[in-house]
Amino acid sequence: YTLFPYTTLFRSLAFAALSALVLLAAALVAERGVLRKVAALTGAARRLAAGDATARTGLASGAGELGDLVRAFDGMAAALEHHEAERARLEEQLRHAHKLEAVGRLAGGVAHDFNNLLTAIVTCARLIEQDLPEGHPSREDAAEILRASGRATALIRQLLAFSRRQRLEPVAIDLAATVQELTRMLGRVLGEG
């Protein structure tokens, strides 16, 4: 009769120790299976929020709801990284377009200024050509100035078309005639030596 209380106490202590071991095992399983995964997800989410588009959990996705969550997070992070790369590419294209627009505006301004100078040159060349008698040697020089001014006017039109982003229509030219015109002009300018 006196052993009965100790047997009950022993059984109660054994049951309590076994319960503690079961709880400890459950805590270890929870630590390895759930808490570490949640910590990895939280860390990756913080890195992603801080701007690190390469942040991933680094976990094998596994099965169950937690595995689904890991797969969804890593997929979302990969999509975000792709979108960030695409955004950077589009920003670079926009910067390039702005540069081209600035060059176009500059070309338009230069063309207008050059056109003003060319108007004065053409006017003076026409006045000189009119004042010179037929057969005067300088009359051919004035005619050459007017021909060169015509080529410069065509160049101005191209610059203005570029600055307005107009489509340029290519025109066939007689290369031999162009070279002959340049040869006559260069021959007089450079001389025989």
Side-chain angles (χ1 to χ4, degrees):
Y1 183 77
T2 59
L3 289 177
F4 179 70
Y6 293 112
T7 306
T8 305
L9 180 63
F10 179 71
R11 284 184 186 161
S12 295
L13 286 175
F15 180 72
L18 184 62
S19 295
L21 283 176
V22 167
L23 285 174
L24 182 62
L28 287 174
V29 167
E31 166 70 22
R32 299 191 106 211
V34 176
L35 294 179
R36 285 188 185 169
K37 288 184 179 180
V38 169
L41 275 165
T42 303
R46 285 189 179 128
R47 287 193 320 273
L48 193 62
D52 181 7
T54 62
R56 302 293 187 279
T57 61
L59 300 172
S61 56
E65 289 88 3
L66 199 53
D68 291 342
L69 183 61
V70 167
R71 273 191 300 280
F73 180 88
D74 285 344
M76 176 198 62
L80 185 61
E81 182 178 22
H82 172 74
H83 290 306
E84 282 295 313
E86 182 67 13
R87 184 183 61 79
R89 187 184 65 79
L90 290 173
E91 283 178 353
E92 180 59 33
Q93 283 181 343
L94 182 63
R95 277 191 294 276
H96 184 69
H98 285 309
K99 287 178 188 176
L100 283 178
E101 184 178 346
V103 167
R105 280 195 306 263
L106 177 66
V110 167
H112 282 294
D113 289 346
F114 188 65
N115 195 34
N116 292 338
L117 294 171
L118 191 60
T119 301
I121 292 170
V122 168
T123 302
C124 288
R126 284 194 179 134
L127 290 173
I128 290 171
E129 188 179 42
Q130 288 174 357
D131 288 345
L132 292 174
E134 202 63 41
H136 192 279
S138 295
R139 193 170 174 91
E140 182 59 33
D141 292 337
E144 185 58 40
I145 291 171
L146 290 171
R147 281 192 293 274
S149 299
R151 289 191 301 272
T153 301
L155 179 63
I156 289 172
R157 274 196 293 272
Q158 290 174 353
L159 281 172
L160 288 172
F162 172 74
S163 70
R164 294 182 195 125
R165 294 189 195 137
Q166 294 174 346
R167 259 187 98 101
L168 297 177
E169 297 295 327
V171 176
I173 62 167
D174 183 1
L175 189 58
T178 304
V179 169
Q180 275 183 334
E181 285 179 28
L182 289 174
T183 304
R184 278 197 311 257
M185 180 182 69
L186 289 175
R188 280 192 304 277
V189 171
L190 296 177
E192 290 183 23

